[in-house]
Amino acid sequence: MSRFSKIGTLPPIEVFALNKAYLDDPHLDKVNLGIGAYRTDDGKPWVLPVVRKIEQLMANDEGLNHEYLPMLGLDSFCLAATKMVLRHDNPLVLSGLAFGVQCLSGTGALRVAAEFLCRQLGYTSVYSSEPSWENHHLIFKMSGFPNTRTYRYWDKVNRCLDFDGMLEDLNNAPENSVIILHGCAHNPTGVDPTEEQWKKIADVIKKKSLFPLFDVAYQGFASGDPDKDAWAVRYFASAGFELLVAQSFAKNFGLYNERAGNLVFVVNSQECIAPIKSQVSIIIRAMYSNPPNHGARIVASILNNADLTEEWKQCLKTMADRVRDMRILLRNKLESLGTPGNWQHITSQIGMFSYTGLSRKSYCKLFIAIVTKL
C-alpha cells in the first residue's frame, strides 16, 4: 500500500477547470467568461505595446543577467509600485514610512501579508466581503488564521452595495480583526463604495481598532485613471492608518504569468521598519526565497520613465474604455431583446466583473428568454 493512499481528492479549482473546459471545447463561437483576463475584439490576449517595447530592450541589453534578486525584491520596482499606489510625493513614501516588498503577484502579496499578520502581530480574525474573491478565505486559512469571517457587501435585492450591513458587521468585529478591502473594481460584484462611504468605513475601522488590508488588483484598469482608482488607499494612508496594500500587476500591465506583485507597508514609526523587513525576509526565505525578475523589471522600467508611463496610461485607457463599452453593449442588447428584469447595474458597476446575483433557476429562464428572442 502506498504511503499516499489515504489522501483524498479535492474538487478542481473552479475557475481553472472552467478555463480548461473552454480551451478543450472545439466550438468556434465559444466565449470564456471565467478567467479574469483582458481580451481584444478578436477574443485574444493583448500584450501591451509598451510592455513589448521594454521586453525587446531587455532582450538586447547585455548588461542584464539572471542573478538572484534580493529576498525583498527589486528596489526600483518596489519603490515605483509604492509610489504608484500612494503618489510619488506622498510624505509617507518620502520619509520611508511607506515601503514595498516584492511578492509573487497579488496572491503572493496577500499570502506574505497573512503570514506576517498571524505570526508577528498575533491576529486571529480576518473579514472578507460577502461575496469576495474566492481565494481570500483560502489564503488566510492556510496562513494560520483560525477565524475567517465575512462582512455584508452585496445587496441582492437592489443590486448595489449593502452599505448599512457592511458598517454594522464592521462595528461588530472584534478588535484587531483584519479587514480585507478591495481598493477598486470589487471582485466579483463590480460595486465600489463612494468617496463619502469610504470615509465612513474608515471611521468605523479606526473607532473599532481594526486593521485594514487593501487588495489592489485593478489600479488604472478599472477607470483608466490610476490616481482615481487609488483614492481609497490614499485616503486611509492620509488619515493616519497603519495598513498593508497587496498590489498586482497582472491586469493593469497584462503581466498575468510573470507574477509581479508588491506588498506595501504603511507604518507610523521608523523604528518598526528594520524589524518588519527582517521578519518578512524570513517568511519569504521559507516560502520561495526570492522573487522573479522579468515582470518586476518591466514595471520598474515603465514607471520610472515619464514618457513610458504615459504610453502605459494610454494602454490602460484602451482597456478600461473597451470594458466600459462592452458593458454598454451588453445592457443595450438585453434591453432591446426585452429581457425580463432591470439591467442598469451592468453599467453602474465597474471593472472586469459584473455580478448579476441571479440564481441558477433565474439564469435558465434568462437563457431561454434570450434564445427565444434571437
Side-chain angles (χ1 to χ4, degrees), residues 37-53:
Y38 179 81
R39 293 292 182 263
T40 65
D41 285 335
D42 298 323
K44 303 296 184 183
W46 189 44
V47 178
L48 276 58
V50 67
V51 168
R52 184 76 79 191
K53 178 189 293 187

Side-chain angles (χ1 to χ4, degrees), residues 8 31 72 82 87 89-90 99 124 143 156 221-222 271 357 372:
V31 177
L72 299 185
T82 303
R87 283 190 62 85
D89 57 353
N90 190 307
F99 59 91
T124 59
S143 299
K156 65 180 181 180
F221 188 98
E271 295 177 356
T372 303

Side-chain angles (χ1 to χ4, degrees), residues 122-316:
Y123 293 165
T124 59
S125 296
V126 59
Y127 284 74
S128 57
S129 61
E130 176 56 45
S132 189
W133 181 48
E134 49 86 20
N135 211 16
H136 280 148
H137 169 80
L138 180 62
I139 289 170
F140 278 80
K141 179 181 178 181
M142 298 297 286
S143 299
F145 272 75
N147 305 312
T148 55
R149 302 169 177 171
T150 61
Y151 57 84
R152 281 170 284 177
Y153 195 88
W154 172 251
D155 181 341
K156 65 180 181 180
V157 175
N158 299 303
R159 296 178 183 177
C160 63
L161 175 65
D162 183 359
F163 185 60
D164 291 338
M166 178 181 182
L167 290 188
E168 182 179 355
D169 289 344
L170 294 182
N171 263 306
N172 291 330
E175 184 177 343
N176 293 328
S177 294
V178 178
I179 310 299
I180 301 175
L181 301 166
H182 299 228
C184 63
H186 181 271
N187 178 0
T189 70
V191 174
D192 290 344
T194 64
E195 291 183 3
E196 288 306 311
Q197 288 173 331
W198 273 121
K199 292 178 181 178
K200 292 179 181 179
I201 292 168
D203 289 342
V204 173
I205 289 177
K206 179 169 287 188
K207 180 184 72 174
K208 298 294 294 184
S209 295
L210 308 176
F211 187 87
L213 168 58
F214 279 92
D215 185 355
V216 180
Y218 301 98
Q219 185 182 350
F221 188 98
S223 69
D225 181 350
D227 292 322
K228 181 179 180 180
D229 291 346
W231 188 91
V233 175
R234 293 175 184 179
Y235 176 77
F236 271 68
S238 69
F241 282 93
E242 292 187 296
L243 53 86
L244 297 182
V245 185
Q247 291 176 276
S248 167
F249 298 87
K251 274 74 175 179
N252 53 13
F253 278 78
L255 296 171
Y256 302 94
N257 67 5
E258 297 298 344
R259 314 315 292 149
N262 188 50
L263 178 61
V264 178
F265 286 79
V266 177
V267 300
N268 62 16
S269 171
Q270 294 283 350
E271 295 177 356
C272 299
I273 297 174
I276 288 173
K277 289 184 176 180
S278 70
Q279 295 294 341
V280 173
S281 295
I282 292 297
I283 292 172
I284 289 174
R285 176 61 172 162
M287 194 180 296
Y288 55 85
S289 194
N290 53 17
N293 171 73
H294 189 78
R297 194 169 294 278
I298 291 171
V299 173
S301 298
I302 292 171
L303 292 182
N304 289 314
N305 180 293
D307 292 336
L308 293 174
T309 298
E310 286 306 311
E311 287 187 47
W312 168 66
K313 288 181 178 180
Q314 288 304 309
C315 293
L316 283 177

Side-chain angles (χ1 to χ4, degrees), residues 9 105 191 313 345:
T9 301
S105 200
V191 174
K313 288 181 178 180
H345 61 286

Side-chain angles (χ1 to χ4, degrees), residues 314-326:
Q314 288 304 309
C315 293
L316 283 177
K317 189 174 186 307
T318 295
M319 293 188 288
D321 286 351
R322 171 167 158 70
V323 171
R324 190 179 300 113
D325 290 344
M326 292 301 101

